[in-house]
Amino acid sequence: MEKLQKTLEEWRAMLDPEQYNVCRLKGTERPFSGKYNATKTDGVYHCICCNEPLFDSRTKFDSGCGWPSFYAPIEGSAVVEVRDVSHGMIRTEVVCAKCDAHLGHVFPDGPPPTGLRYCINSVCLDLVPR
């Protein structure tokens, strides 16, 4: 996949302040505040920065954590997992494979068939209904 690269100034001009903080500065939205946390709309979730398809609504589940949760990305190459040792924790960060936008984290406490919970910030996503 060809990487989409922009300067921080270019990202800041294109994203709203919350999108910029989360996607480019690795922030997080407050739990239960995101527009996609409880949505049941059938469709595909795309990266807000580059429009790359990331997650299918068929893999979304209610984990109760306060952020949209998925048990798998749309395909293996849609996201990249990166070791994250910030905030005194060891976690696995999830970023968009095309533009490196911070999306959230993945945890090993999800449902079958993967056992994974991709905990993703709503502000990083754009849902395209089917």
Side-chain angles (χ1 to χ4, degrees):
M1 175 182 302
E2 185 174 329
K3 287 280 189 180
L4 173 64
Q5 296 185 4
K6 295 183 181 214
T7 66
L8 286 178
E9 293 76 25
E10 290 172 314
W11 288 121
R12 185 173 291 139
M14 124 180 213
L15 301 170
D16 72 32
E18 187 178 20
Q19 291 167 336
Y20 179 79
N21 180 56
V22 175
C23 296
R24 307 322 307 178
L25 302 180
K26 301 182 185 222
T28 191
E29 63 193 4
R30 288 184 342 271
F32 303 100
S33 69
K35 65 182 176 179
Y36 297 129
N37 181 50
T39 191
K40 305 274 191 231
T41 303
D42 185 35
V44 175
Y45 291 86
H46 292 248
C47 178
I48 198 70
C49 295
C50 69
N51 201 37
E52 191 69 18
L54 300 173
F55 297 94
D56 190 297
S57 64
R58 293 177 185 134
T59 66
K60 189 173 188 283
F61 68 99
D62 182 6
S63 69
C65 71
W67 291 273
S69 296
F70 305 86
Y71 63 76
I74 203 162
E75 59 180 63
S77 63
V79 299
V80 175
E81 297 177 10
V82 180
R83 182 179 165 96
D84 177 2
V85 294
S86 64
H87 306 289
M89 297 179 273
I90 299 174
R91 301 178 289 176
T92 303
E93 178 187 12
V94 179
V95 300
C96 174
K98 184 171 183 179
C99 72
D100 293 327
H102 169 77
L103 303 171
H105 292 86
V106 62
F107 302 96
D109 60 2
T114 65
L116 298 174
R117 173 174 54 98
Y118 287 82
C119 184
I120 307 297
N121 291 282
S122 288
V123 73
C124 303
L125 302 172
D126 181 35
L127 175 58
V128 178
R130 252 187 275 280

